[in-house]
Amino acid sequence: MREPVTLLKSLPKYEVFLEDSKRFPELDASACYVFLQLLRTGDDLLAMDELILSSLGTRHGRFVLLMLLHKHGPGEMTPAELAEKTGVTRATISGLLDGLAKDGLVERRPDPQDRRITRLFLTEAGDQLLERVRPTYCEWFTSVIAPLTEDERKQLVFILQKLQQRLAELGARLPDSMHTAA
Amino acid sequence: MREPVTLLKSLPKYEVFLEDSKRFPELDASACYVFLQLLRTGDDLLAMDELILSSLGTRHGRFVLLMLLHKHGPGEMTPAELAEKTGVTRATISGLLDGLAKDGLVERRPDPQDRRITRLFLTEAGDQLLERVRPTYCEWFTSVIAPLTEDERKQLVFILQKLQQRLAELGARLPDSMHTAA
DNA sequence: ACCTAATTATTAGGTTCCTAACTATTGTCA
DNA sequence: TGACAATAGTTAGGAACCTAATAATTAGGT
């Protein structure tokens, strides 16, 4: 019932904006096109990523959490630190941890010093899942990038970093809301 | 309470995979790095996009639907066609239309010929929202792409298309599930 | 010491996405 | 014609995200 994500379509979701570039002469049509391609490729990549991870019995968000928990030692991470490293809110982390704990992949234990803090531990099962999933996942994304030449990779990374810097600039001076701390 | 998305962080969400490239010699470290940068830039772009659209009083999904409804004539689109064009399921379209209808931006009317079909109409308010939001939005994404030279834009689009083709190849021969029709 | 601030984690409620199941209608074809 | 399949749209239930409000604990200032 579901087509392979957006993969096989021309530029369906975003094509409408290309219309606009004709009606608004002040718009840079090339910018528009580049933007849409970028948005679309990002979408597709994320979608495939979810698909792969799902077929391996996990999900993107959970997998990233397990990786982080594995990288840092047992009991070293707290929900707040996970939120900080992943860039999602603590509320989201709470939900993800609920799922991981329910599946027996992660354990929550109170910190003896500071009773506000919860310390997180990867279980044996969590570690095994990681060992099982990681090779296939790494193989997959390597094969996605494989067609790019060394030059193309350099170009791409350079351009992406330029864009990230630009996004950071634009993000820094947003209307308002958020920005509790500098 | 919420930091400006992931924008100001080094490579937080994905850095963990870079560790792996050291432990798994068969992994292409450069592929890994490129992949992470791409995933991250896509994430950031989408996040900022949501942020902009939110500050303008709408959301990405809804906005795209309104654009599509505007592009095609009144009553020309059906929920199924929107699903097809946007790449999300019909169920998702139902939910989005519920929201848009509740806000009085869109109207659903039964097709007189085929009583299974619902025909969609942009209301006056829907059209006004579009007129209000579109210029700012277009201005925004133009300014995101602005720092890229003409050469860089060409390179980027070329590389992205290469990747999309690759993703389509890889997606075509997935384990199983889905693929009801060729 | 005590009252207020800040911090940790969670819960509640909303959004956008999914799959799967369902209803209503239309098309097919034996 | 009459059963069966296909199609349109929705509903139900779940996941990952959000904001805002909450409870518990710690830290700071006077």
Side-chain angles (χ1 to χ4, degrees), chain B residues 127-151:
Chain B
D127 215 70
Q128 280 168 14
L129 186 143
L130 228 36
E131 293 303 321
R132 181 170 60 78
V133 169
R134 199 166 32 191
T136 308
Y137 181 68
C138 291
E139 212 174 282
W140 170 70
F141 69 63
T142 298
S143 89
V144 170
I145 301 300
L148 300 186
T149 67
E150 204 49 54
D151 256 8

Side-chain angles (χ1 to χ4, degrees), chain A residues 37-105:
Chain A
Q37 288 286 352
L38 196 53
L39 218 45
R40 181 169 147 67
T41 307
D43 253 20
D44 290 353
L45 201 59
L46 247 344
M48 271 289 281
D49 186 282
E50 267 297 342
L51 213 54
I52 294 294
L53 253 15
S54 284
S55 79
L56 293 172
T58 184
R59 314 291 298 276
H60 184 87
R62 294 180 178 210
F63 183 60
V64 170
L65 253 46
L66 292 179
M67 291 289 284
L68 279 167
L69 254 22
H70 182 262
K71 181 184 173 187
H72 298 86
E76 203 179 311
M77 295 298 279
T78 66
E81 280 163 355
L82 286 180
E84 219 261 325
K85 289 221 178 265
T86 56
V88 301
T89 61
R90 291 177 195 188
T92 300
I93 297 292
S94 274
L96 287 172
L97 286 175
D98 283 349
L100 289 170
K102 188 162 58 68
D103 293 352
L105 303 172

Side-chain angles (χ1 to χ4, degrees), chain B residues 30-153:
Chain B
S30 120
C32 188
Y33 186 65
V34 173
F35 174 75
L36 300 187
Q37 287 286 353
L38 197 52
L39 218 45
R40 181 169 149 67
T41 307
D43 253 19
D44 289 354
L45 202 59
L46 248 343
M48 271 289 281
D49 187 282
E50 267 297 342
L51 213 54
I52 295 294
L53 255 13
S54 284
S55 80
L56 293 172
T58 184
R59 315 290 298 277
H60 185 86
R62 294 179 178 211
F63 183 61
V64 171
L65 253 46
L66 291 179
M67 292 288 284
L68 280 167
L69 252 24
H70 183 263
K71 180 185 174 187
H72 298 86
E76 205 180 310
M77 296 297 281
T78 65
E81 279 164 354
L82 286 181
E84 219 261 325
K85 290 222 179 262
T86 55
V88 301
T89 61
R90 289 201 264 263
T92 299
I93 297 293
S94 272
L96 288 173
L97 286 177
D98 282 350
L100 290 171
K102 187 162 59 65
D103 292 353
L105 303 173
V106 155
E107 219 182 309
R108 284 189 257 219
R109 298 185 207 157
D111 184 293
Q113 259 75 55
D114 188 336
R115 286 191 294 174
R116 288 171 301 183
I117 292 178
T118 300
R119 303 231 152 255
L120 300 171
F121 297 81
L122 210 52
T123 65
E124 193 46 37
D127 215 70
Q128 280 168 14
L129 186 143
L130 228 36
E131 293 303 321
R132 181 170 60 78
V133 169
R134 199 166 32 191
T136 308
Y137 181 68
C138 291
E139 212 174 282
W140 170 70
F141 69 63
T142 298
S143 89
V144 170
I145 301 300
L148 300 186
T149 67
E150 204 49 54
D151 256 8
E152 285 167 344
R153 295 179 194 204

Side-chain angles (χ1 to χ4, degrees), chain A residues 6-156:
Chain A
T6 36
L7 293 179
L8 301 177
K9 303 186 183 310
S10 49
L11 196 49
K13 195 166 179 173
Y14 306 118
E15 66 177 305
V16 284
F17 299 119
L18 281 174
E19 291 294 303
D20 275 12
S21 70
K22 296 168 196 152
R23 281 194 306 236
F24 290 84
E26 78 274 14
L27 255 197
D28 181 348
S30 119
C32 188
Y33 186 65
V34 172
F35 174 75
L36 300 187
Q37 288 286 352
L38 196 53
L39 218 45
R40 181 169 147 67
T41 307
D43 253 20
D44 290 353
L45 201 59
L46 247 344
M48 271 289 281
D49 186 282
E50 267 297 342
L51 213 54
I52 294 294
L53 253 15
S54 284
S55 79
L56 293 172
T58 184
R59 314 291 298 276
H60 184 87
R62 294 180 178 210
F63 183 60
V64 170
L65 253 46
L66 292 179
M67 291 289 284
L68 279 167
L69 254 22
H70 182 262
K71 181 184 173 187
H72 298 86
E76 203 179 311
M77 295 298 279
T78 66
E81 280 163 355
L82 286 180
E84 219 261 325
K85 289 221 178 265
T86 56
V88 301
T89 61
R90 291 177 195 188
T92 300
I93 297 292
S94 274
L96 287 172
L97 286 175
D98 283 349
L100 289 170
K102 188 162 58 68
D103 293 352
L105 303 172
V106 155
E107 219 181 310
R108 284 190 258 219
R109 299 187 206 155
D111 182 294
Q113 259 73 56
D114 187 335
R115 285 190 294 174
R116 289 172 301 184
I117 293 177
T118 300
R119 304 231 151 255
L120 300 170
F121 296 81
L122 208 53
T123 64
E124 192 46 37
D127 216 70
Q128 281 169 14
L129 185 142
L130 228 35
E131 294 303 321
R132 180 170 61 74
V133 169
R134 199 165 33 193
T136 307
Y137 182 69
C138 291
E139 212 173 283
W140 170 71
F141 68 64
T142 299
S143 89
V144 170
I145 301 299
L148 300 187
T149 68
E150 204 49 54
D151 255 8
E152 286 168 343
R153 296 178 193 204
K154 281 205 192 93
Q155 288 170 7
L156 180 56

